[in-house]
Amino acid sequence: MAKVLLTGGAGYIGSHTAVEFLEAGIDVVVVDNFSNSSPKAIKRVEQITGKSVALYEADVCDKDATRKIFDEHRLDAVVHFAGYKAVGESVKKPVEYYRNNLDSALVVCELMREYDVRGIVFSSSATVYGVSENVPFKEDAPTGGCTNPYGWTKYMIEQILRDYANATPGVSATLLRYFNPVGAHPSGEIGEDPYGEPNNLAPYVCQVAVGRLPLLRVFGNDYPTPDGTGVRDFIHVVDLAKGHVAAFQHMKEGVRTYNLGTGHGYSVFDMINAFKRVNNVEIPYKIVDRRPGDVATSYADPSLANSELEWKATLGLDDMCRDAYNWQRKNPNGYRD
Ligand code: NAD
Ligand code: WQD
């Protein structure tokens, strides 16, 4: 049976991806240091799928600790999720972000070389397109011009993986540029569980909906968009997770880059209105100033992934809002109950 290592597999996207791999009949090993997650997420993955996951608590920057996993398992590929991801925090703690994100990626490359593991799928981000608004983004659009250290780590790791794969015959590197993942597994057993006040729109809306936060601040209603609020390509996390299985199943020697998005732009008000309608809840909000660094509009051209990976997002905004709320209501304090 094929086997993949998910670094950061206890996190939001990693845990959903673990479910999809297991349901596709692919074995999963997870390494996580739980710096932004809980081992409970993996227990829930096992409950949902009825399958077991080999779970290691380790820092992927620690090569010896991570080597143990490569020693104990014959891996077909690594899906590298591990990393810090908070944009604002990265501005305040750039050294920590560069250290954690770059070192973990380098350790993965070194161990892949040492153990002749030939495939890597990497969690990149639409943030590599920088502040451009030449939408929809295609994969060959210019990258760089990132507005924060987090974004630069993604840009740099993409380059590291391109260089590594190009220099290493037989290796396949797939760079997946996620747009805005939201929602949760329809079981409501796993979902997004940010520590502290959420930075992103969907978890903020969820926490307002369950009364954990009083009010959503809408960052600007004077953008050049149909209703004045920011427009994003929100993608259901289950669709996104399936994109990783498709990437694994289509691995070929060399480097490939794919946008994972729906190809549709939804505004902040679209999200609020869908959430209210689908879940029959109130979302009190107030308009405040724009958030520095935000662009008006960002959405993907996902046609390359649609054709080459035979993958397409199938879930819509209503599904995202319903499933996100179901998770939040069942787990008002996330995994900390
Ligand atoms: P997350 O924080 O929920 O998951 C990351 C996981 O990595 C966490 O479980 C964390 O504990 C773990 N981790 C961090 N550093 C580690 C280390 N050195 N060793 C071992 N484990 C470590 O985040 P997520 O939303 O699931 O994101 C997963 C990946 O996708 C990240 O690389 C992120 O940058 C990228 N990404 C996320 C988004 C998004 O909006 N959520 C968008 C684009 C890209
Ligand atoms: C979406 C829209 C906000 C919160 C970020 C990262 C990006 C990627 C995904 C990792 C914007 C508005 C938000 C709030 C609001 N992550 N908003 N009130 O900024 O598109 O992308 O997450 O790679 O790199 O930058 O996502 O969810 O923060 O914002 O009005 O409390 O919601 O202004 O228009 P963003 P987001």
Side-chain angles (χ1 to χ4, degrees), residues 12-13 32-33 35-37 59-60 81 85 100 150 154:
Y12 172 46
I13 301 169
D32 205 299
N33 64 359
S35 55
N36 196 37
S37 57
D59 185 332
V60 179
F81 297 103
K85 66 160 182 179
N100 191 47
Y150 166 74
K154 294 295 172 191

Side-chain angles (χ1 to χ4, degrees), residues 85 87 124-127 148 150 154 178-182 198-204 216-220 223 229-232 234 268 291 294-296 298:
K85 66 160 182 179
V87 168
S124 189
S125 167
T127 196
N148 55 78
Y150 166 74
K154 294 295 172 191
Y178 312 156
F179 278 68
N180 289 60
V182 299
N199 301 303
N200 299 113
L201 178 64
Y204 212 106
L216 172 73
R217 288 164 303 149
V218 172
F219 298 137
Y223 283 107
T229 63
V231 166
R232 295 293 182 272
F234 298 107
V268 173
R291 184 172 64 178
D294 275 356
V295 295
S298 165

Side-chain angles (χ1 to χ4, degrees), residues 112-129:
M112 285 175 62
R113 194 174 52 187
E114 204 173 310
Y115 286 83
D116 194 26
V117 176
R118 302 213 167 171
I120 178 156
V121 176
F122 173 59
S123 299
S124 189
S125 167
T127 196
V128 300
Y129 295 117

Side-chain angles (χ1 to χ4, degrees), residues 3-14:
K3 193 185 270 192
V4 293
L5 172 64
L6 310 186
T7 74
Y12 172 46
I13 301 169

Side-chain angles (χ1 to χ4, degrees), residues 3 43 56 74 108 112 128 146 155 163 180 200 206 213 221 236 243 264 272 294:
K3 193 185 270 192
K43 283 273 158 275
Y56 292 80
R74 206 184 148 66
V108 166
M112 285 175 62
V128 300
C146 302
Y155 176 87
D163 291 340
N180 289 60
N200 299 113
C206 283
L213 290 167
N221 66 347
H236 196 296
H264 301 289
I272 297 172
D294 275 356

